[in-house]
Amino acid sequence: MRKNKIDVELIECILQTKAELNIANRNFEQAEGELIDYYLYQIKAHKAKLDYLIKEVKERGFKLDTIHELNVKIS
């Protein structure tokens, strides 16, 4: 049962990180001056975190469909 809780938390973390990445992308589109660098840093950080989390999920036997949003299937 503990493993399932960790898996659910991992998926929730992916969804949260994806939402934060989308917000950073929207903010970047409207940024000016020094905020451009700030949002670029945020985008890069969120992408790195998302890549790591997706790798973790795949190693645990989940299948992610990132093209059609985040559909999770246990293999």
Side-chain angles (χ1 to χ4, degrees), residues 10-50:
L10 189 58
I11 299 304
E12 289 173 348
C13 191
I14 288 174
L15 294 173
Q16 179 65 37
T17 303
K18 189 169 186 259
E20 291 169 352
L21 176 60
N22 289 337
I23 291 168
N25 278 318
R26 282 194 306 267
N27 289 337
F28 172 77
E29 290 173 5
Q30 298 180 8
E32 295 179 7
E34 293 176 8
L35 284 178
I36 292 172
D37 291 336
Y38 172 75
Y39 288 118
L40 281 174
Y41 174 79
Q42 276 195 337
I43 290 168
K44 186 175 179 177
H46 290 308
K47 283 183 179 182
K49 183 177 180 181
L50 196 55

